[in-house]
Amino acid sequence: DSGVTQTPKHLITATGQRVTLRCSPRSGDLSVYWYQQSLDQGLQFLIQYYNGEERAKGNILERFSAQQFPDLHSELNLSSLELGDSALYFCASNRLDVDTQYFGPGTRLTVL
Amino acid sequence: AQTVTQSQPEMSVQEAETVTLSCTYDTSENNYYLFWYKQPPSRQMILVIRQEAYKQQNATENRFSVNFQKAAKSFSLKISDSQLGDTAMYFCAFIFNAGNMLTFGGGTRLMVKP
């Protein structure tokens, strides 16, 4: 158990819908990272938050957004969902920038 | 741009034997951080080992060790005394200086056979 929690474990929804994925980092960790793992794109970095502020952005679609709350949990919002958004979404956390990132169990999103 | 390549999509090894997974990368940076992560069938991403590029000594973690060749831009993972529980997808990953995010290779699927 990494200490990072993610909910829900599985999510099945239809095209055009909006979903919210939630992540709670390890105790004491200030940074949260979101990654997408899909069959065709592999593991890709989406976005990083540090102590409530956006720190870095990767290949995140405009339909996707995220935020980190004062209690340091983070939410990833995916809207206008398409079939191609079906993937495993991971969040990871660490304390300092180059510290090892510890991953949550992931949320499997299926868009039908 | 930084790239990470794992040239072995699949490998297999007999239980108790040794196997080496390859990873090469390309970067113009001098300082970076290297990792191997394991993803078993449960899909959880689990850290196997970490190496700092400024350290000459290769990292070791129980049965897992790395061979880090900075000049050759190579970072291989050696698993000794392979166990059935080592069956998983293995990813090499890097944190380059320009950002804090992990850049992953495409993965190597390892099957340990009894």
Side-chain angles (χ1 to χ4, degrees):
Chain A
D1 185 0
S2 66
V4 180
T5 60
Q6 287 187 250
T7 56
K9 273 190 171 180
H10 302 279
L11 204 45
I12 301 174
T13 188
T15 54
Q17 295 299 305
R18 172 189 169 96
V19 297
T20 298
L21 313 184
R22 182 187 168 106
C23 167
S24 292
R26 293 186 317 160
S27 176
D29 285 359
L30 298 176
S31 263
V32 169
Y33 305 77
W34 287 96
Y35 294 89
Q36 179 194 57
Q37 185 177 29
S38 61
L39 282 173
D40 54 346
Q41 296 289 328
L43 269 155
Q44 287 201 310
F45 167 72
L46 294 177
I47 197 164
Q48 177 201 3
Y49 275 81
Y50 178 83
N51 204 20
E53 301 288 326
E54 183 183 303
R55 187 73 169 257
K57 228 170 182 176
N59 295 323
I60 188 166
L61 299 171
E62 284 192 13
R63 301 183 284 108
F64 295 2
S65 65
Q67 54 185 323
Q68 186 178 29
F69 295 86
D71 67 352
L72 300 177
H73 91 271
S74 178
E75 292 180 358
L76 179 67
N77 300 297
L78 316 176
S79 61
S80 302
L81 285 167
E82 302 175 359
L83 296 178
D85 298 328
S86 294
L88 190 53
Y89 291 85
F90 285 106
C91 111
S93 74
N94 64 7
R95 201 156 289 138
L96 298 174
D97 285 349
V98 294
D99 276 359
T100 297
Q101 293 177 29
Y102 292 92
F103 282 74
T107 293
R108 177 168 293 285
L109 173 67
T110 302
V111 182
L112 300 175
Chain B
Q2 289 95 354
T3 59
V4 182
T5 303
Q6 293 180 250
S7 59
Q8 305 150 316
E10 292 186 2
M11 294 187 74
S12 64
V13 63
Q14 291 298 129
E15 198 175 4
E17 293 191 347
T18 296
V19 64
T20 299
L21 310 184
S22 301
C23 176
T24 58
Y25 58 94
D26 190 22
T27 182
S28 57
E29 297 180 12
N30 191 47
N31 195 27
Y32 42 91
Y33 303 82
L34 309 94
F35 305 84
W36 279 95
Y37 280 89
K38 165 186 175 179
Q39 188 177 38
S42 66
R43 308 306 297 270
Q44 173 79 47
M45 292 290 287
I46 301 166
L47 176 72
V48 175
I49 201 163
R50 170 191 168 112
Q51 171 83 40
E52 284 82 8
Y54 61 85
K55 288 187 178 177
Q56 292 189 342
Q57 187 170 4
N58 287 324
T60 298
E61 198 69 48
N62 300 317
R63 299 182 294 108
F64 299 89
S65 60
V66 298
N67 183 7
F68 174 46
Q69 301 287 330
K70 193 172 184 179
K73 294 180 181 174
S74 168
F75 181 57
S76 60
L77 174 70
K78 185 170 89 170
I79 306 174
S80 304
D81 185 25
S82 297
Q83 301 176 359
L84 296 178
D86 295 334
T87 291
M89 195 79 168
Y90 287 82
F91 294 95
C92 65
F94 293 76
I95 293 177
F96 297 107
N97 200 36
N100 309 316
M101 70 293 292
L102 285 162
T103 301
F104 287 88
T108 294
R109 187 177 302 280
L110 176 67
M111 171 77 72
V112 179
K113 298 179 177 178

